[in-house]
Amino acid sequence: MCGIFGVMDKRRQMMDGSGIREALSMMNERGSGEGAGYVAYGIYPDYRDCYALHVFFDNACENKAIVDATLEQWGSIECDEAIPTCDQLNLKVNCTPWRYFFKPDASLAPGSASPEKDVVTNLVMQINACANGAEIVSSGKNVGLFKASGWPEDVADYYRIQDYEGYIWLAHNRYATSNPELWERPDPFNLHDWSVVENGKTTTYGANRRYVESFGYNCSTGTDSEVIAYLIDLLTRKHGLDINLAIRALAPPYWDEIDRMPEAEQNLNRALRFAYGSATMNGPFTVVAANPDMMVGFTDRGKLRPMVVGECGDRLYIASEETAIRAMEPKVESITRPAAGEPVIGRVAP
């Protein structure tokens, strides 16, 4: 079920999308041809101080004016345009991808520790909750997300992925189990800094969704990865956990493992389990997530979905299969398969 891929250059050296396209297409047996997506960091240097909002319009002529008016209530639009695309024979287009470069009005979130991001979060939740023929699929600074219902090659060629350069890329080859025609359903999912791809299926979706929605998030697509993206934002940005603790809260050790830990570590892990029981994810899954400063990978506690890690020079790779890593980096220097419960955290240089 599903193929996922991530690559990060620790020195922020740019990579075009052609290698990502090749890597993801090596895992086509994991997909169904009904969804694929890519997200890249660093692709909009000319608008690095703006939030790049990627939007799917059912009908831009009818729906765009509503979104324009909503954005103007929350800040200012610096530029907007249709995302360049190239029609593909095997890809049925059912929406218009658009992008806005947007500056939020921080005064609309007084007292917030991260006012711009709170404004953007509220904006995304408001637009995506309404039946207005528009869906914001990414909303970060200097980051863009590209996805559709189709095979990875067709989706990449439709968006001309090779024309973009980024220092972190995530990609996903979807094995659709529902709503294959909806372009917003495939991974990746993004909320300002954080993007997520997942292979698997959590059995705690309902509890996780109710928990995150109790903090004001609105889950509009019914997918695990949307909830995971919001959980990571909640735990790291709003609750101030570092990423190690956030991952431990989402995928904690078993109780019997905690019982065997030194006392201080026992106390920490018990506190996390009690505090974040409703955020704990169960079921078979592997998650790769990224923000502008890092890329992380983690699995369920039994590692019921694969995660392979590669390193070559300054580049870190995380994928469902080794063959995908070698497709992009034939001379990969190190291949490892982390144990269950062993997260992988790579950081870019300051």
Side-chain angles (χ1 to χ4, degrees), residues 3 24-25 28 31-39 56 91 145-156 159 170-176 180 182-188 197:
L24 195 60
S25 68
N28 273 352
S32 60
E34 296 168 314
Y38 305 82
V39 63
F56 287 164
L91 196 151
L145 187 154
F146 309 89
K147 60 183 177 179
S149 179
W151 288 107
E153 303 93 325
D154 294 327
V155 175
Y159 285 110
L170 302 182
H172 185 268
N173 190 343
R174 185 188 186 207
Y175 189 96
L182 298 179
W183 280 30
E184 65 269 23
R185 290 298 294 270
D187 291 13
V197 291

Side-chain angles (χ1 to χ4, degrees), residues 69-80:
T70 304
L71 292 178
E72 288 167 359
Q73 292 175 354
W74 291 94
S76 60
I77 300 169
E78 299 297 301
C79 177
D80 73 282

Side-chain angles (χ1 to χ4, degrees), residues 30 299 303 305-311 317-326 332 334-344:
R30 289 183 168 274
T299 69
K303 201 181 180 185
R305 291 292 182 267
M307 183 172 73
V308 183
V309 177
E311 293 185 77
Y317 299 87
I318 306 176
S320 297
E321 296 183 9
E322 180 179 339
T323 184
I325 297 173
R326 293 192 181 277
V332 61
S334 168
I335 291 287
T336 58
R337 292 168 174 81
E342 181 183 338
V344 175

